[in-house]
CSV table of all heavy atoms in Angstrom, one decimal:
chain,number,residue,atom,x,y,z
A,1,SER,N,159.1,199.1,140.2
A,1,SER,CA,160.3,198.8,139.4
A,1,SER,C,160.9,200.0,138.8
A,1,SER,O,162.1,200.0,138.4
A,1,SER,CB,159.9,197.8,138.2
A,1,SER,OG,158.9,198.4,137.3
A,2,LYS,N,160.1,201.1,138.6
A,2,LYS,CA,160.6,202.3,138.2
A,2,LYS,C,160.9,203.4,139.2
A,2,LYS,O,161.0,204.6,138.9
A,2,LYS,CB,159.6,202.8,137.0
A,2,LYS,CG,159.8,202.2,135.7
A,2,LYS,CD,161.1,202.5,135.1
A,2,LYS,CE,161.2,202.0,133.6
A,2,LYS,NZ,162.4,202.4,132.9
A,3,THR,N,160.9,203.0,140.4
A,3,THR,CA,161.1,203.9,141.5
A,3,THR,C,162.4,203.6,142.2
A,3,THR,O,162.7,202.5,142.5
A,3,THR,CB,159.9,203.9,142.5
A,3,THR,OG1,158.7,204.1,141.9
A,3,THR,CG2,160.2,205.0,143.7
A,4,ILE,N,163.2,204.7,142.5
A,4,ILE,CA,164.5,204.5,143.2
A,4,ILE,C,164.6,205.5,144.3
A,4,ILE,O,164.3,206.7,144.2
A,4,ILE,CB,165.6,204.7,142.2
A,4,ILE,CG1,165.6,203.9,141.0
A,4,ILE,CG2,167.0,204.5,143.0
A,4,ILE,CD1,166.6,204.2,139.9
A,5,VAL,N,165.0,205.0,145.5
A,5,VAL,CA,165.4,205.9,146.6
A,5,VAL,C,166.9,205.7,146.8
A,5,VAL,O,167.4,204.6,146.9
A,5,VAL,CB,164.7,205.5,147.9
A,5,VAL,CG1,165.1,206.4,149.1
A,5,VAL,CG2,163.1,205.6,147.7
A,6,MET,N,167.6,206.9,146.9
A,6,MET,CA,169.0,206.9,147.0
A,6,MET,C,169.5,207.5,148.3
A,6,MET,O,168.9,208.5,148.8
A,6,MET,CB,169.6,207.7,145.8
A,6,MET,CG,169.1,207.2,144.5
A,6,MET,SD,169.4,208.4,143.1
A,6,MET,CE,171.1,207.9,142.7
A,7,VAL,N,170.6,207.0,148.8
A,7,VAL,CA,171.3,207.7,150.0
A,7,VAL,C,172.8,207.7,149.7
A,7,VAL,O,173.4,206.9,149.0
A,7,VAL,CB,170.9,206.9,151.2
A,7,VAL,CG1,171.5,205.5,151.3
A,7,VAL,CG2,171.3,207.7,152.5
A,8,HIS,N,173.4,208.8,150.4
A,8,HIS,CA,174.8,209.1,150.1
A,8,HIS,C,175.8,208.4,151.0
A,8,HIS,O,175.4,207.6,151.9
A,8,HIS,CB,175.0,210.6,150.2
A,8,HIS,CG,174.5,211.1,151.4
A,8,HIS,ND1,175.2,211.2,152.6
A,8,HIS,CD2,173.2,211.7,151.8
A,8,HIS,CE1,174.5,211.6,153.6
A,8,HIS,NE2,173.3,212.0,153.1
A,9,GLY,N,177.0,208.8,150.9
A,9,GLY,CA,178.1,208.3,151.7
A,9,GLY,C,178.4,209.1,152.9
A,9,GLY,O,177.6,210.0,153.4
A,10,ALA,N,179.6,209.0,153.5
A,10,ALA,CA,179.9,209.6,154.8
A,10,ALA,C,180.4,211.0,154.8
A,10,ALA,O,180.5,211.6,155.8
A,10,ALA,CB,181.0,208.7,155.6
A,11,THR,N,180.7,211.5,153.6
A,11,THR,CA,181.2,212.8,153.5
A,11,THR,C,180.4,213.8,152.7
A,11,THR,O,180.2,214.9,153.1
A,11,THR,CB,182.7,212.8,152.9
A,11,THR,OG1,183.5,211.9,153.6
A,11,THR,CG2,183.3,214.2,152.8
A,12,PHE,N,179.9,213.4,151.5
A,12,PHE,CA,179.2,214.2,150.6
A,12,PHE,C,177.7,213.9,150.6
A,12,PHE,O,177.4,212.7,150.7
A,12,PHE,CB,179.8,214.3,149.3
A,12,PHE,CG,181.3,214.6,149.3
A,12,PHE,CD1,182.3,213.7,149.0
A,12,PHE,CD2,181.7,215.9,149.7
A,12,PHE,CE1,183.6,214.0,149.0
A,12,PHE,CE2,183.1,216.3,149.7
A,12,PHE,CZ,184.0,215.3,149.4
A,13,SER,N,176.8,214.9,150.3
A,13,SER,CA,175.4,214.7,150.3
A,13,SER,C,175.0,214.0,149.0
A,13,SER,O,175.7,213.7,148.1
A,13,SER,CB,174.8,216.0,150.4
A,13,SER,OG,174.9,216.7,149.1
A,14,SER,N,173.7,213.6,149.0
A,14,SER,CA,173.1,213.1,147.7
A,14,SER,C,173.2,214.0,146.5
A,14,SER,O,173.4,213.7,145.4
A,14,SER,CB,171.6,212.7,148.0
A,14,SER,OG,171.6,211.5,148.8
A,15,GLY,N,172.9,215.3,146.9
A,15,GLY,CA,173.0,216.4,145.8
A,15,GLY,C,174.4,216.4,145.2
A,15,GLY,O,174.6,216.5,144.0
A,16,SER,N,175.4,216.4,146.1
A,16,SER,CA,176.8,216.5,145.6
A,16,SER,C,177.2,215.2,144.8
A,16,SER,O,177.9,215.4,143.8
A,16,SER,CB,177.7,216.6,146.9
A,16,SER,OG,179.1,216.4,146.6
A,17,LEU,N,176.8,214.1,145.3
A,17,LEU,CA,177.3,212.9,144.6
A,17,LEU,C,176.4,212.5,143.4
A,17,LEU,O,176.9,211.9,142.4
A,17,LEU,CB,177.2,211.7,145.6
A,17,LEU,CG,178.3,211.7,146.7
A,17,LEU,CD1,178.0,210.6,147.7
A,17,LEU,CD2,179.6,211.6,146.2
A,18,TYR,N,175.1,212.8,143.4
A,18,TYR,CA,174.2,212.3,142.3
A,18,TYR,C,173.6,213.3,141.5
A,18,TYR,O,172.9,213.0,140.6
A,18,TYR,CB,173.1,211.5,143.1
A,18,TYR,CG,173.6,210.4,144.1
A,18,TYR,CD1,172.8,210.2,145.3
A,18,TYR,CD2,174.7,209.6,143.8
A,18,TYR,CE1,173.3,209.2,146.1
A,18,TYR,CE2,175.1,208.6,144.6
A,18,TYR,CZ,174.4,208.5,145.8
A,18,TYR,OH,174.8,207.5,146.7
A,19,ASP,N,173.7,214.6,141.8
A,19,ASP,CA,172.9,215.5,141.0
A,19,ASP,C,173.6,216.8,140.7
A,19,ASP,O,173.0,217.9,140.4
A,19,ASP,CB,171.6,215.9,141.8
A,19,ASP,CG,170.5,216.4,140.9
A,19,ASP,OD1,170.4,216.1,139.7
A,19,ASP,OD2,169.7,217.3,141.3
A,20,VAL,N,174.9,216.8,140.5
A,20,VAL,CA,175.6,217.9,139.8
A,20,VAL,C,175.7,217.6,138.4
A,20,VAL,O,176.2,216.5,138.0
A,20,VAL,CB,177.1,218.0,140.5
A,20,VAL,CG1,177.8,219.1,139.8
A,20,VAL,CG2,177.1,218.3,142.0
A,21,PRO,N,175.2,218.5,137.5
A,21,PRO,CA,175.2,218.2,136.1
A,21,PRO,C,176.4,218.2,135.4
A,21,PRO,O,176.7,219.1,134.5
A,21,PRO,CB,174.2,219.3,135.6
A,21,PRO,CG,174.4,220.4,136.5
A,21,PRO,CD,174.7,219.8,137.9
A,22,LEU,N,177.3,217.3,135.7
A,22,LEU,CA,178.7,217.2,135.0
A,22,LEU,C,178.4,216.8,133.5
A,22,LEU,O,177.7,215.9,133.2
A,22,LEU,CB,179.5,216.2,135.7
A,22,LEU,CG,179.7,216.5,137.2
A,22,LEU,CD1,180.5,215.3,137.8
A,22,LEU,CD2,180.5,217.8,137.4
A,23,GLY,N,179.1,217.6,132.6
A,23,GLY,CA,179.0,217.3,131.3
A,23,GLY,C,177.5,217.5,130.7
A,23,GLY,O,177.1,217.0,129.7
A,24,GLY,N,176.8,218.3,131.5
A,24,GLY,CA,175.4,218.7,131.1
A,24,GLY,C,174.3,217.9,131.7
A,24,GLY,O,173.1,218.2,131.6
A,25,PHE,N,174.6,216.8,132.4
A,25,PHE,CA,173.6,216.1,133.1
A,25,PHE,C,174.1,215.2,134.3
A,25,PHE,O,175.3,214.9,134.3
A,25,PHE,CB,172.8,215.1,132.2
A,25,PHE,CG,173.7,214.0,131.6
A,25,PHE,CD1,173.7,212.7,132.1
A,25,PHE,CD2,174.5,214.2,130.5
A,25,PHE,CE1,174.6,211.7,131.6
A,25,PHE,CE2,175.4,213.2,130.0
A,25,PHE,CZ,175.4,212.0,130.5
A,26,SER,N,173.3,215.0,135.3
A,26,SER,CA,173.7,214.3,136.5
A,26,SER,C,173.2,212.8,136.4
A,26,SER,O,172.5,212.5,135.5
A,26,SER,CB,173.0,215.0,137.7
A,26,SER,OG,171.6,214.8,137.7
A,27,PHE,N,173.6,212.0,137.4
A,27,PHE,CA,173.1,210.7,137.5
A,27,PHE,C,171.6,210.7,137.7
A,27,PHE,O,170.9,209.8,137.0
A,27,PHE,CB,173.8,210.0,138.7
A,27,PHE,CG,173.5,208.6,139.0
A,27,PHE,CD1,173.2,207.7,137.9
A,27,PHE,CD2,173.5,208.0,140.3
A,27,PHE,CE1,172.9,206.4,138.2
A,27,PHE,CE2,173.1,206.8,140.5
A,27,PHE,CZ,172.9,206.0,139.5
A,28,MET,N,171.1,211.5,138.5
A,28,MET,CA,169.6,211.7,138.6
A,28,MET,C,169.0,212.0,137.4
A,28,MET,O,167.9,211.5,137.0
A,28,MET,CB,169.2,212.5,139.8
A,28,MET,CG,169.7,212.2,141.2
A,28,MET,SD,169.0,213.2,142.5
A,28,MET,CE,167.2,212.8,142.4
A,29,ASP,N,169.5,212.9,136.6
A,29,ASP,CA,169.0,213.3,135.3
A,29,ASP,C,169.0,212.1,134.4
A,29,ASP,O,167.9,211.8,133.7
A,29,ASP,CB,169.8,214.4,134.6
A,29,ASP,CG,169.8,215.7,135.3
A,29,ASP,OD1,168.7,216.0,136.0
A,29,ASP,OD2,170.7,216.5,135.2
A,30,TYR,N,170.0,211.3,134.3
A,30,TYR,CA,170.1,210.2,133.5
A,30,TYR,C,169.0,209.2,133.7
A,30,TYR,O,168.3,208.7,132.9
A,30,TYR,CB,171.5,209.6,133.6
A,30,TYR,CG,171.7,208.2,132.9
A,30,TYR,CD1,172.2,208.2,131.6
A,30,TYR,CD2,171.3,207.0,133.5
A,30,TYR,CE1,172.2,207.0,130.9
A,30,TYR,CE2,171.5,205.8,132.8
A,30,TYR,CZ,171.9,205.8,131.5
A,30,TYR,OH,172.1,204.6,130.9
A,31,LEU,N,168.8,208.9,135.1
A,31,LEU,CA,167.9,207.9,135.4
A,31,LEU,C,166.4,208.4,135.2
A,31,LEU,O,165.6,207.7,134.7
A,31,LEU,CB,168.0,207.6,137.0
A,31,LEU,CG,169.2,206.9,137.4
A,31,LEU,CD1,169.3,206.9,138.9
A,31,LEU,CD2,169.3,205.4,136.9
A,32,ALA,N,166.1,209.7,135.4
A,32,ALA,CA,164.8,210.2,135.1
A,32,ALA,C,164.5,210.2,133.6
A,32,ALA,O,163.4,209.8,133.2
A,32,ALA,CB,164.8,211.7,135.6
A,33,VAL,N,165.4,210.5,132.8
A,33,VAL,CA,165.2,210.4,131.3
A,33,VAL,C,165.0,208.9,130.9
A,33,VAL,O,164.3,208.6,130.0
A,33,VAL,CB,166.4,210.9,130.5
A,33,VAL,CG1,166.3,210.6,129.1
A,33,VAL,CG2,166.5,212.4,130.7
A,34,ARG,N,165.6,208.0,131.6
A,34,ARG,CA,165.3,206.6,131.4
A,34,ARG,C,164.0,206.1,131.9
A,34,ARG,O,163.6,204.9,131.7
A,34,ARG,CB,166.4,205.7,132.1
A,34,ARG,CG,167.8,205.7,131.4
A,34,ARG,CD,168.0,204.7,130.4
A,34,ARG,NE,168.0,203.3,130.7
A,34,ARG,CZ,169.0,202.4,130.6
A,34,ARG,NH1,170.2,202.9,130.3
A,34,ARG,NH2,168.9,201.2,130.9
A,35,GLY,N,163.2,207.0,132.5
A,35,GLY,CA,161.9,206.7,132.9
A,35,GLY,C,161.7,206.4,134.4
A,35,GLY,O,160.7,206.0,134.9
A,36,PHE,N,162.8,206.6,135.2
A,36,PHE,CA,162.7,206.3,136.7
A,36,PHE,C,162.2,207.6,137.4
A,36,PHE,O,162.4,208.7,137.0
A,36,PHE,CB,164.1,206.0,137.1
A,36,PHE,CG,164.5,204.6,136.7
A,36,PHE,CD1,165.4,204.4,135.7
A,36,PHE,CD2,164.1,203.4,137.4
A,36,PHE,CE1,165.8,203.2,135.4
A,36,PHE,CE2,164.5,202.2,137.1
A,36,PHE,CZ,165.3,202.0,136.0
A,37,ASP,N,161.5,207.2,138.5
A,37,ASP,CA,161.0,208.2,139.5
A,37,ASP,C,162.1,208.1,140.6
A,37,ASP,O,162.1,207.2,141.4
A,37,ASP,CB,159.6,207.7,140.0
A,37,ASP,CG,158.9,208.8,140.7
A,37,ASP,OD1,159.2,210.0,140.6
A,37,ASP,OD2,157.9,208.4,141.4
A,38,VAL,N,162.9,209.2,140.7
A,38,VAL,CA,164.1,209.1,141.5
A,38,VAL,C,164.0,210.1,142.7
A,38,VAL,O,163.9,211.3,142.5
A,38,VAL,CB,165.4,209.3,140.7
A,38,VAL,CG1,166.6,209.1,141.5
A,38,VAL,CG2,165.3,208.7,139.5
A,39,PHE,N,164.3,209.5,143.9
A,39,PHE,CA,164.3,210.3,145.2
A,39,PHE,C,165.6,210.1,145.9
A,39,PHE,O,166.0,208.9,145.9
A,39,PHE,CB,163.2,209.8,146.1
A,39,PHE,CG,161.8,210.0,145.5
A,39,PHE,CD1,161.3,209.0,144.7
A,39,PHE,CD2,161.0,211.0,145.9
A,39,PHE,CE1,160.0,209.1,144.2
A,39,PHE,CE2,159.7,211.2,145.4
A,39,PHE,CZ,159.1,210.2,144.6
């Protein structure tokens, strides 16, 4: 329940879409702080 596997779209990678720290934190950062194990 606390594990997430993510995959990206047709143009940009997972790092580009999910892990650029805009405003100081990324989507992956947010989920990890909420207690998720995110891949």
Side-chain angles (χ1 to χ4, degrees):
S1 63
K2 280 293 189 177
T3 304
I4 306 172
V5 178
M6 310 167 79
V7 66
H8 54 82
T11 304
F12 304 112
S13 71
S14 286
S16 170
L17 292 172
Y18 307 141
D19 203 31
V20 178
L22 304 173
F25 65 95
S26 70
F27 182 33
M28 292 187 72
D29 292 332
Y30 174 89
L31 291 170
V33 170
R34 288 271 296 240
F36 288 98
D37 196 20
V38 192
F39 299 81

